[in-house]
Amino acid sequence: MLNVNGQTEHLTVPSHRLLVEVLRQDLGLTGTHVGCDTGQCGACTVLVNGRAVKSCNVLAQQVRGAEVTTIEGLSPPDGSLHVMQLAFKECQGLACGFCTPGMVLSAIDLVLNHPCESEADIRNGLEGNLCRCTGYQSIVRAVQQGAEAMKR
Amino acid sequence: MRGAALTDSAAGQAVDVHEDLNCLTGRSLYADDLVLPNQAYGVFVRSPWAHARISGLEPRAATACPGVLQVLTADDFAHFGNAPPGGCVQGGLGAPLTTRHPILAAGWVRYVGQAVALVVGDSVAAAKAGAAALAVHYERLPAPIDVACATGSPATLHPGAPDNVAFRWAEGDEAATAAAFARAAHVTRLHLRLPRVIRSPLEPRAANACYDADRDHCTLHANERDLRRAAWIPGARLWDIPGPWLRAGAAAGEAGSGVPVPDELGPEEWALLRASLQLGRPVKWTAEQGESFLTAIHDSDHLTEAALALDAQGQFLALQLRTTVNLGAYRSTPTGAAAARHDATGLAGPYAVPAVHGEVTGVFTATAPVSADAGTAEAIYVRERLVDVAAHELGLDPMVLRRCNFRRPTSRSVQAAPSDQDRLLDQVLVLADVVGFPARRAVSDARGRRRGLGLCCQADTGAVVCEAEVDPSTGAVVVDRVSAVSDFSAAIDPANAERQMHASLAQGLGQALMEQAVYDPHTGQLLTASYWGYALARAEDWPLYAVQLAKGRSGNGSPSTPAEGISGETLGAPAALINALCDALGVKDLPMPALPDRLWVAAQARDA
């Protein structure tokens, strides 16, 4: 039994299956990306009980009973955006967009669970998420703006 | 690239990019996200050796595996030469050797990771099991790996190239250049190695080929960047598809990768198209990251001897360049042509140089093929390093030496009207607060750090200034300030243009400081085949960049050339950063990438 984006999914999952495989292949949640296969890039980041987790490094069995949030479950069904998504949109904190779901979810964990007062804090906090196209500047700006909005 | 709503916005206004919304909510479709009805799965069997003869290939055991649907080998491509379409270098010294990349290795493998067979199964697991069961017998052969020794190596890669030379190219006035060097008051010489880099977008290579028998056409969904060349395919039925039919599909057309990896279809895509045609089902392949690193077209990898001749007043008299370009194992596309032309003809850049001569030798090595785009960035790097070293040797300010050699419409004297390049330089020096540099350096000195400032004038289209601080006790670098001015002519969306500048600056800084593809010089194994070994910069590696679009032009020259300006700062950043690091440590040259151990050694040697 998996709780994904507020829905309970009853699945028979072999013990070796990774969380990212179940999300992408069994549940069709392809917003969670596989970038590097090595736990480096963070494109597969999801929230497990509110904390950022690289879903390519977690067995699906390990999150049984936990609340998993993917990028698809971040914004409400009415089509509005989470303030962090909105900040990424307004600051254009993306280029090819492949790292974006992981970046957004890592940023939310960063704001909720870690000190991110300064630009340096944010840069340090995004250490687990690689981006090849933006040079990070617009991402850092987006996280700064999103953090302000989340604190309001 | 992502679609932008251009129709309702005038140039100069912000553009709303609809695709951003899909990316932000997980609805974007990337190549691996696509699932077609009844799709089969392809897995490639790849060469474990850098150079070997295939003495036997027995597909029966693989075919017998449960769930395996077909096994493709070179035999399946024999009737159209087993090579994708490609161009060749026009001109040059002697007949250039055309060696197209086989779709699947026929008889020989020439780099680690070269595709030997495609196993298709009804699941990835079945295809993988089949690939593991495929028996391939190799007779290993000596392999030229290091481009520095490939031409003299007894190990040759192609029968038509006993010295591993694909082509030699010369450009410019050799006699005038030699004469200028003979009468020069000062000659600066530099040996440079520009390491191989891998563009490595995060999205793995992936493709899904779908043959439709009713309409007799094949649709390829792939994340390759430029599928237009697919229209070049001649002949056989599979390939005789009008360009519009072989559409890019959602992955490339909608989201795609902003990073230019291969701009032509790779052998894998051709093999998948063929497999789908034979099977009558869609065939999908998604590379594992190691596979992407092994087979993405690599970039740079030049070995250069360069020289600059100056007169007693510091005026440039001549530039000379001898470059060896590592082509990798095959020249399957116009690879090397661009490198040759750019290196030789682009060398003078913004400077008035009466005589230029360049020679480029394209060399085969048993490594992955290198991009056709290489050349422009390398020419800028070589020239801008040369100018700094000349200034270093002559005790001149690098900025002054540059300025007094800029091309000017009427006269070469400093008193002539300022050129567009002068304006760019003025603008970037203000942006970088170069006036405040001595004070910042004093602060660094007091902390036991070495601070340096470096400049790169790439052409009439842009200039970059970097400021970096080195800890001489560890070799650690802090890239503290990066400033760039670029001339986009007319930017449709200024904010977006600035973000493109950020992106290209980051690429260039990464190349200067940390990125390099490393092959084991003996075995030809790629040692940097994942992000564990291949360094990609993280957010905390770079500062906030100060970027500006160029201010008004002089109006007496030609219109600006956005073709280079659009992503120009990538091209300027490596030289600016290496110049800054050399300035920081007071050394003439540093190898690229400037890794901490190299900087530490340079700092210790300087202090000894």
Side-chain angles (χ1 to χ4, degrees):
Chain A
M1 194 184 81
L2 285 179
N3 188 321
V4 180
N5 297 334
Q7 296 201 345
T8 304
E9 308 278 356
H10 294 277
L11 301 165
T12 306
V13 177
S15 57
H16 66 270
R17 219 159 149 73
L18 298 169
L19 175 57
V20 70
E21 293 172 330
V22 171
L23 292 173
R24 286 181 57 83
Q25 293 162 22
D26 299 0
L27 301 178
L29 296 169
T30 54
T32 304
H33 297 148
V34 178
C36 69
D37 295 323
T38 55
Q40 294 277 302
C41 78
C44 66
T45 303
V46 298
L47 298 179
V48 175
N49 291 336
R51 303 302 291 258
V53 163
K54 290 181 178 176
S55 62
C56 77
N57 273 357
V58 179
L59 295 168
Q61 300 274 8
Q62 289 177 277
V63 301
R64 198 160 45 169
E67 300 219 351
V68 177
T69 305
T70 71
I71 193 72
E72 291 92 342
L74 190 60
S75 45
D78 66 7
S80 61
L81 295 175
H82 186 283
V83 289
M84 187 60 79
Q85 287 170 310
L86 195 63
F88 269 73
K89 182 172 189 294
E90 288 176 0
C91 300
Q92 288 201 10
L94 64 155
C96 90
F98 196 77
C99 73
T100 308
M103 281 287 182
V104 169
L105 292 167
S106 281
I108 290 170
D109 177 23
L110 183 62
V111 174
L112 291 178
N113 299 306
H114 303 272
C116 67
E117 300 300 321
S118 67
E119 180 209 331
D121 288 340
I122 290 171
R123 287 184 182 272
N124 183 261
L126 294 176
E127 194 249 1
N129 292 74
L130 292 174
C131 171
R132 190 47 144 159
C133 335
T134 63
Y136 295 108
Q137 185 140 321
S138 59
I139 291 175
V140 171
R141 293 290 196 218
V143 177
Q144 285 176 316
Q145 184 176 318
E148 288 303 313
M150 282 175 71
K151 285 170 189 165
R152 278 200 291 270
Chain B
M1 296 297 289
R2 295 170 299 144
L6 283 175
T7 46
D8 296 334
S9 63
Q13 302 297 307
V15 177
D16 188 23
V17 182
H18 296 316
E19 177 53 23
D20 284 0
L21 196 59
N22 285 338
C23 290
L24 283 162
T25 53
R27 289 198 298 266
S28 266
L29 195 63
Y30 293 87
D32 184 52
D33 299 340
L34 186 71
V35 179
L36 296 174
N38 200 32
Q39 76 183 16
Y41 298 85
V43 167
F44 286 93
V45 175
R46 298 187 178 279
S47 171
W49 308 117
H51 190 199
R53 195 174 80 81
I54 300 173
S55 55
L57 200 165
E58 180 44 69
R60 262 179 304 185
T63 313
C65 285
V68 169
L69 302 168
Q70 63 175 166
V71 177
L72 264 63
T73 66
D75 291 346
D76 293 279
F77 299 93
H79 64 287
F80 48 86
N82 191 25
C88 70
V89 176
Q90 301 297 316
L93 308 175
L97 190 69
T98 302
T99 51
R100 290 179 176 178
H101 193 309
I103 294 171
L104 295 172
W108 282 267
V109 287
R110 295 189 173 92
Y111 65 95
V112 170
Q114 185 176 350
V116 174
L118 170 61
V119 179
V120 180
D122 56 18
S123 68
V124 175
K128 277 190 175 178
L134 187 82
V136 187
H137 301 285
Y138 298 97
E139 286 173 15
R140 289 180 66 184
L141 298 167
I145 305 296
D146 186 349
V147 69
C149 2
T151 54
S153 170
T156 55
L157 215 51
H158 296 284
D163 52 0
N164 293 315
V165 171
F167 64 83
R168 294 182 201 277
W169 181 279
E171 190 91 29
D173 190 334
E174 189 174 10
T177 304
F181 271 88
R183 68 170 196 277
H186 182 81
V187 173
T188 291
R189 294 185 190 280
L190 204 50
H191 289 243
L192 296 167
R193 179 156 205 166
L194 290 99
R196 180 180 294 221
V197 292
I198 305 176
R199 295 279 174 88
S200 60
L202 292 190
E203 184 187 7
R205 290 186 65 193
N208 202 331
C210 179
Y211 179 66
D212 179 346
D214 292 341
R215 287 187 291 167
D216 189 27
H217 77 153
C218 209
T219 307
L220 183 76
H221 303 266
N223 58 4
E224 303 292 342
R225 199 165 151 268
D226 179 2
L227 299 187
R228 283 170 303 165
R229 296 184 195 197
W232 297 356
I233 304 161
R237 186 174 68 151
L238 171 61
W239 313 118
D240 191 16
I241 303 165
W245 289 92
L246 198 64
R247 61 189 164 82
E254 184 191 343
S257 160
V259 184
V261 185
D263 57 0
E264 74 276 356
L265 291 185
E268 288 84 1
E269 285 77 20
W270 299 115
L272 292 163
L273 285 163
R274 181 77 189 172
S276 179
L277 179 78
Q278 290 188 356
L279 198 61
R281 287 172 66 174
V283 180
K284 178 180 178 177
W285 162 68
T286 302
E288 294 177 353
Q289 189 73 29
E291 231 182 334
S292 284
F293 273 84
L294 282 172
T295 63
I297 292 186
H298 297 187
D299 208 356
S300 204
D301 208 345
H302 289 201
L303 209 57
T304 293
E305 292 174 41
L308 174 65
L310 302 95
D311 71 12
Q313 285 74 47
Q315 294 290 311
F316 299 162
L317 298 175
L319 269 167
Q320 196 174 40
L321 173 90
R322 279 196 195 89
T323 289
T324 304
V325 177
N326 191 346
L327 301 174
Y330 297 96
R331 208 178 82 235
S332 54
T333 66
T335 296
R341 296 197 184 114
H342 287 146
D343 269 1
T345 60
L347 194 59
Y351 306 111
V353 186
V356 178
H357 185 248
E359 289 174 24
V360 180
T361 305
V363 173
F364 292 118
T365 61
T367 60
V370 178
S371 166
D373 293 335
T376 310
E378 287 77 3
I380 291 169
Y381 183 76
V382 168
R383 178 224 309 145
E384 291 298 303
R385 287 290 301 123
L386 260 181
V387 175
D388 253 45
V389 173
H392 180 89
E393 290 174 347
L394 295 169
L396 298 171
D397 182 333
M399 269 167 261
V400 174
L401 184 61
R402 281 179 172 81
R403 210 186 277 278
C404 75
N405 280 286
F406 281 155
R407 255 186 289 112
R408 288 167 207 286
T410 50
S411 159
R412 284 175 56 213
S413 85
V414 186
Q415 285 74 32
S419 66
D420 289 331
Q421 188 62 53
D422 284 299
R423 292 170 200 269
L424 278 170
L425 184 53
D426 290 342
Q427 193 180 340
V428 80
L429 294 180
V430 170
L431 185 64
D433 184 28
V434 168
V435 173
F437 172 71
R440 292 191 293 272
R441 177 177 254 181
V443 171
S444 296
D445 282 344
R447 296 169 55 237
R449 306 286 201 272
R450 311 278 172 77
R451 178 175 287 263
L453 182 117
L455 168 67
C456 175
C457 298
Q458 61 188 47
D460 299 340
T461 55
V464 182
V465 173
C466 279
E467 213 171 298
E469 199 185 61
V470 182
D471 182 343
S473 64
T474 63
V477 175
V478 174
V479 179
D480 190 42
R481 301 166 71 94
V482 178
S483 313
V485 173
S486 187
D487 189 346
F488 278 79
S489 186
I492 291 170
D493 177 355
N496 196 28
E498 288 183 4
R499 278 187 297 276
Q500 284 185 37
M501 292 170 72
H502 301 160
S504 54
L505 284 169
Q507 298 262 345
L509 296 172
Q511 186 174 3
L513 208 56
M514 61 183 80
E515 290 184 33
Q516 62 174 339
V518 179
Y519 278 93
D520 182 292
H522 304 293
T523 65
Q525 299 292 331
L526 181 61
L527 303 179
T528 53
S530 80
Y531 290 122
W532 283 110
Y534 191 86
L536 190 58
R538 295 170 192 276
E540 64 183 343
D541 289 317
W542 308 138
L544 288 175
Y545 322 105
V547 299
Q548 282 180 358
L549 305 183
K551 291 170 184 163
R553 300 180 65 86
S554 57
N556 58 358
S558 57
S560 50
T561 48
E564 191 176 25
I566 280 170
S567 59
E569 291 64 40
T570 303
L571 311 181
L577 181 50
I578 297 291
N579 284 344
L581 294 170
C582 289
D583 181 48
L585 296 179
V587 297
K588 176 176 159 179
D589 194 24
L590 285 165
M592 191 158 75
L595 301 169
D597 61 317
R598 294 172 168 179
L599 292 167
W600 182 83
V601 167
Q604 301 305 310
R606 183 78 171 83
D607 292 349

